[in-house]
Structure formats: structure tokens, C-alpha cells
Amino acid sequence: MAGTAGTPGTPRVLRAMNDRAALDLLLEHGPLSRTRIGKLTGLSKPTASQLLARLEAAGLVLATGTSEGRPGPNAQLYSVNPAAAHAAGLDVNPHRIRAAVADVTGRTVGEFKLPTPGRHPTQPVVRQVTDALDGAVKAAGLARGDVHRLVIGTPGAFDPNTGRLRYASHLPGWHSPTILDELAAALPMPVEYENDVNLVAIAEQRLGAARGHQDFVLLWNQEGMGAALVLGGRLHRGWTGGAGEVGFLPVPGAPLVRQVTKANSGGYQELAGAQAVPKLARALGLADVPTGPYTDAAAALVARAADHASGPHRTLLTTYATHLATGLASLVSVLDPELVVLSGSALTAGGEVLRALVQAELEDLAAARPRLVVGDVREQPVLRGALESALAATRDEVFDTSR
């Protein structure tokens, strides 16, 4: 007996599954002909033709020219319609909010940066968020209502039990117990919130060094130190959203930090965070230690040290590698991941030289032997992860032709 519409196995559901498979192939490969789509999906030519006609009528695909320079007649090519949907992401830190809008293919079409200086912001958080979003929306030539979904990345995490931001005492204005309700009331689209380092892991999993990996740890070292844990293909956030807040981890070689949330720091942060690199350089008597923001100074020092095979610069790099491996040893001993991705400017600046030193030290300090790689997503990785997260949910909604 035939099932009702919407039941697995019915023609409508099977058509929707084929539609989604074709749309995913077009996203992955770019413009494809009807014949190529048929071969990649295993569908007959008539069925592939019906599928493309259906998707074109729904505004999800466009006919975009013809294949040229191949034997035989030119074939009509089809692409995902970029204007079928848009998603937005925000990367929030104490100094600024970066906003971006992407079309459904993943191409960024509008960006905006809103400075938010000082510990006592002059504008309420809701106004900052809407101003940043509107700036990116305007740059994209769109209206706020054109955005299907927004993902906001912040340091720390919103505790799902209380709805309040935890582990980010340095983010002024974001700790109000009503902030999520205020943002929901101000914005016309669904809004999700994610820890910034978790978003970097999403970017690396979808676009970078962790593609194809289901179990990995991403170690982040930039303004602060943190980790993202992907287990069985899914982010592990913890009971209060605090999984991966490894900056607070007590480690050998650093004094115990008590009341870590008040200090907004811990042993691993003090031992191997970006702020530790200029201090180490001065202790080694290195000249020309950069001044200015410690994240920039750390990246410059690590990059310079990676170019030296010996001397105090190499001592700086090997000591830093040992400090990094000290905290990583605890992480990999508990989680035994397949892969560790090193990300953030204070790690990526050292490239393959630093990676190899940390790998060698980790193999001395821990029984687990994950492979270490340097992250591939270097340009605004938090924002890229926010867009990828928002796009994934938007595509699930917009590309579901069974609705």
C-alpha cells in the first residue's frame, strides 16, 4: 500500500532527496550539464531533465550558459541560483564586531566592521548587533528581511541552562540575563549563538584542514586560548557550553591560577597564550621585541623565530613548542583525537616549523599520537565559520523541496 505524502519512500520524498543531491553536487562542482548531473546522481536523462525543470521553476537553479570547447554539441549548463537565499554571520570581540552576508553558494556579498572600543560601550549590545548586521546587508545591496538566518560568534558561550554568557568576563554588555530575548525581538530572522573557537572548527571542517575528519581538536591561540572538540562529527559543547575552555587548564610550569573566571585566565593561558610569547622573548634577551597588541607581537616573533635554525630565536620557538605541548598532552590523553588543528595567529605564524616541534614534544609527553596540522582557514576564520554554520541550516530549509 502506498504511503501518505511525506512518508519515506513516497515519490515526493524521493524527488526531494534527488533534488537535494543535485543541488549539493552543483554547490561542490559548479556549473554542470544535465548529462553530468544524471551520471553523478545515477538518474536517467528524463528524470534529470524533470529534476532540473522543477528546480529552475522553484528558483533554486539557473541556466548559466553552455559547455564549449568539448567534442559534440554544446550542452546547457546549470548552477545554483545565488539569490535563492542569504545568510549572515557576526564575529564579536571586545574591540569590534565584524559582520558578513553570504549568498546560498557561500560567496560573501557584503561585509562591515563596527568598532566597539572601551569597557563601557556607548551603544547597547542590541544596537551594536543591528548596526553591524545592517552595515553588511547594505554593502550586499539587500534588506534585513532578505537574510534567512544569523549566527553570532562570541568568546565564551551561552549556557543553555540559563541563557547567560559564561567564560567571557571581558565582553562588556553581553552578560545581561535578557540579552537573548532582546536580540530575538530586534531581529526578523532566526538567530543562533556559538563560541568563536567552535566556529573556527566548523570552518576548518567544511573548508580547511579538517575536511573529512570526524574526531579532531582545534587549538586556538590568538586574543585568548581555547579549543574546539569535534567528536563523532559533532561539536561537543559541554553541559554549560564550556567544553574547550582550555585557557583555564592548570598545567605544570605555570603557577596555579585561582578564581579563573574572575582572572579570565588560567595556567595554560599564562604558560602558552599569545601574551606569554613577548615575555619569553624578553627573558631570552631578544632585541626588537615588537610593542603594541600582544597578539600581533606574538605572531611577528613566532614567524621570525621560525626562520632561524639556531640561537635565541630557535630557543624561543622550542620553548614555546614545549609550553604548547604541555597543555595539549592533557587534551589528547583524555580525548585521543585523530587530528589536532593548530589555528590562530600565534600558532599559524610558526607554520610547519612550529608544527613539527609541537608534534615531536607531544609524542614525548603523551601516549596518544594524533597528527598535528596547521589550519588552512586564515582569513577571518570565526566569521567564515559563522557563515558556514548559518548557510548549512539555511540550505537545509531552502533546498527541501518536499515542503
Side-chain angles (χ1 to χ4, degrees):
M1 188 173 92
T4 57
T7 304
T10 62
R12 191 176 82 171
V13 172
L14 293 172
R15 277 198 303 270
M17 290 169 65
N18 288 335
D19 290 349
R20 180 61 195 262
L23 288 162
D24 286 342
L25 286 167
L26 289 169
L27 284 175
E28 183 181 355
H29 296 285
L32 295 171
S33 67
R34 179 196 63 185
T35 302
R36 186 79 180 125
I37 288 170
K39 284 181 178 174
L40 289 169
T41 57
L43 299 174
S44 67
K45 282 187 180 180
T47 304
S49 294
Q50 291 168 8
L51 177 151
L52 286 165
R54 193 163 59 242
L55 294 178
E56 199 170 4
L60 295 175
V61 303
L62 299 171
T64 52
T66 58
S67 60
E68 297 177 0
R70 296 178 184 174
N74 292 344
Q76 177 69 61
L77 296 177
Y78 296 87
S79 297
V80 172
N81 178 8
H86 292 86
L90 262 62
D91 168 15
V92 178
N93 76 17
H95 313 295
R96 51 97 188 117
I97 299 177
R98 289 189 191 274
V101 176
D103 66 34
V104 78
T105 70
R107 184 174 65 95
T108 299
V109 293
E111 293 185 80
F112 188 76
K113 180 180 174 183
L114 179 75
T116 56
R119 292 191 57 79
H120 304 287
T122 55
Q123 296 284 4
V125 163
V126 172
R127 176 69 183 275
Q128 294 175 25
V129 167
T130 54
D131 283 356
L133 176 63
D134 287 345
V137 165
K138 183 179 178 183
L142 300 169
R144 199 191 283 182
D146 294 323
V147 176
H148 280 68
R149 184 173 295 266
L150 171 65
V151 171
I152 299 176
T154 68
F158 283 97
D159 183 340
N161 306 293
T162 64
R164 298 190 68 163
L165 187 70
R166 297 191 65 180
Y167 313 108
S169 58
H170 61 304
L171 199 61
W174 283 81
H175 295 85
S176 162
T178 61
I179 190 69
L180 299 186
D181 292 336
E182 292 172 38
L183 286 165
L187 295 165
M189 75 289 289
V191 184
E192 293 178 14
Y193 308 87
E194 186 59 87
N195 168 263
D196 52 0
V197 185
N198 285 351
L199 292 176
V200 179
I202 288 172
E204 290 290 351
Q205 189 177 32
R206 295 181 67 89
L207 306 169
R211 284 184 80 168
H213 293 278
Q214 298 293 301
D215 287 89
F216 70 93
V217 168
L218 180 132
L219 184 69
W220 171 261
N221 199 3
Q222 198 153 298
E223 286 90 0
M225 197 155 202
L229 319 176
V230 177
L231 308 173
R234 299 173 65 86
L235 276 167
H236 178 71
R237 295 179 178 86
W239 177 243
T240 62
E245 293 288 345
V246 296
F248 298 135
L249 190 71
V251 291
L256 275 178
V257 178
R258 298 188 184 273
Q259 303 206 336
V260 291
T261 52
K262 283 187 180 177
N264 200 40
S265 189
Y268 196 25
Q269 179 71 48
E270 295 300 315
L271 185 71
Q275 82 275 23
V277 178
K279 292 178 186 174
L280 181 58
R282 292 186 192 99
L284 289 168
L286 287 174
D288 301 324
V289 175
T291 55
Y294 64 78
T295 50
D296 297 341
L301 284 164
V302 169
R304 194 188 304 165
D307 288 335
H308 288 73
S310 60
H313 285 93
R314 178 46 61 114
T315 304
L316 169 68
L317 205 64
T318 54
T319 306
Y320 179 47
T322 301
H323 291 179
L324 289 165
T326 300
L328 266 179
S330 294
L331 265 179
V332 304
S333 296
V334 172
L335 296 170
D336 188 22
E338 177 189 5
L339 189 76
V340 174
V341 181
L342 304 178
S343 187
S345 60
L347 291 172
T348 58
E352 171 58 23
V353 178
L354 177 61
R355 186 214 65 80
L357 288 169
V358 177
Q359 178 92 63
E361 280 293 272
L362 187 59
E363 290 181 1
D364 263 359
L365 297 177
R369 299 289 176 91
R371 185 165 61 92
L372 267 61
V373 295
V374 181
D376 286 336
V377 183
R378 308 287 179 89
E379 285 292 312
Q380 299 176 20
V382 175
L383 189 57
R384 189 68 247 172
L387 288 173
E388 287 299 318
S389 180
L391 283 166
T394 298
R395 289 167 184 158
D396 284 345
E397 180 185 323
V398 174
F399 287 174
D400 183 358
T401 57
S402 71
R403 296 192 178 205

